[in-house]
Amino acid sequence: SSSTFYERYHSLEDIYFWINRTQQDNPDTVKVILIGSSFEKRPLYVLKLSVNNRPNKKAMWIDCGIHAREWISPAFCLWFVQYSLSFYQLNEDITNILDNMDVYILPVLNPDGYHYTWTTNRMWRKNRSTNRGTKCIGVDLNRNFDANWCTEGASDQPCTEIYCGAFPESEPETQAVADFLRSHKDIVQIYLSIHSYSQMLLFPYSCTLEETENHSELLEMVQEAAQKIQRHYRNIYTYGSGAKTIYLAPGGSDDWAYKLGIKYSFTFELQDRGRYGFLLPPSHISKACNEALLAVKTIALKVVEKT
Ligand SMILES: NCCCCC[C@@H](C[SeH])C(=O)O
Ligand SMILES: [Zn+2]
Ligand SMILES: [Zn+2]
């Protein structure tokens, strides 16, 4: 049954089949957009959820799987699509969101890395691009965006896990996402990047300790989301700007999206807090995804109510 499908982790090949089948099963609501390809020439597919043709509709962007070993992240993107398609017009919150916003979902931003964690090294984080002058492979895609690129919190050493790349947007995966968001920046109102682990709801900036102009608004949004998760699921998520809540991390997709003009930009760190870490068991997928779903709904509804 479908519930077991969404309570399991899936190989990259399975996810590509799922993308195709989801579009075929929902031809009026789901469109598949090829936004580019990875270093090893795997396709980067975005699913566009659109339930109506309301003029001037805004949009929300959710990307998963930028870091290969964070398997709960792609699992959440699949979960979110399934929930949206199954509960539209049944659940009031998702109906309200989808009536007002299209949703662009990129289930696996780093397919080469994800594939590598299934075949070779479960703990791989970066992409799989080759770096001149060294045997070391991979760039940390969440340090490769053009936002205070390669300053403190990233490294210019290719053998490190936080290698920023040869230059901003040096990686094909980063370019594909940045190009798509640049060409859709007037309609994308919310940017969400899904990671694990440590149960945090973060917003810009991570590249500096400076606060955004809408810092208090973003803080209120993640605070309310964390409170709802605590109330409904008895689980604790910390929240705040990335630099203050987790660590300095320049070149991140959320900071870049914010500077592009997407003022509601967030990075979620899903379950858990370290007991299993990146190796979260499949039996925990449902609760982790429901917690993340509640946070997405809280934020999206607040933006819908504002506009
Ligand atoms: N854009 C940086 C948000 C804060 C850091 C997020 C974590 C996720 Se694993 C990281 O990229 O190190
Ligand atoms: Zn991550
Ligand atoms: Zn993380």
Side-chain angles (χ1 to χ4, degrees), residues 67 70 125 140 142-143 162 195-197 202 206 242 246-247 249 252-255 267 269:
H67 287 146
E70 300 165 12
R125 168 182 167 98
D140 181 352
N142 209 27
R143 302 295 184 279
I162 50 172
H195 291 250
S196 79
Y197 61 93
L202 306 170
S206 295
I246 187 164
Y247 35 62
S253 61
D254 54 355
D255 286 7
T267 292
E269 287 267 44

Side-chain angles (χ1 to χ4, degrees), residues 109-123:
L109 197 162
N110 175 11
D112 302 348
Y114 188 69
H115 184 264
Y116 194 69
T117 60
W118 275 75
T119 58
T120 314
N121 177 352
R122 174 68 182 79
M123 292 305 279

Side-chain angles (χ1 to χ4, degrees), residues 31-51:
K31 237 179 74 183
V32 176
I33 304 167
L34 179 65
I35 68 163
S37 54
S38 68
F39 180 81
E40 292 174 343
K41 303 294 177 226
R42 290 187 174 90
L44 300 174
Y45 289 126
V46 165
L47 286 95
K48 179 185 180 184
L49 298 188
S50 185
V51 298

Side-chain angles (χ1 to χ4, degrees), residues 111-179:
D112 302 348
Y114 188 69
H115 184 264
Y116 194 69
T117 60
W118 275 75
T119 58
T120 314
N121 177 352
R122 174 68 182 79
M123 292 305 279
W124 192 257
R125 168 182 167 98
K126 302 188 286 182
N127 77 347
R128 291 292 300 165
S129 64
T130 51
N131 301 305
R132 250 209 327 276
T134 168
K135 300 181 310 308
C136 292
I137 300 252
V139 169
D140 181 352
L141 296 172
N142 209 27
R143 302 295 184 279
N144 190 236
F145 286 81
D146 199 1
N148 289 41
W149 178 78
C150 226
T151 55
E152 191 191 344
S155 168
D156 61 1
Q157 296 303 308
C159 299
T160 64
E161 291 282 38
I162 50 172
Y163 177 45
C164 56
F167 51 87
E169 297 184 27
S170 60
E171 304 307 300
E173 299 89 352
T174 311
Q175 280 163 33
V177 171
D179 284 351

Side-chain angles (χ1 to χ4, degrees), residues 259-274:
K259 289 178 183 225
L260 181 68
I262 304 173
K263 294 303 171 194
Y264 299 111
S265 178
F266 304 88
T267 292
F268 288 178
E269 287 267 44
L270 304 192
Q271 280 195 26
D272 60 15
R273 297 211 346 203

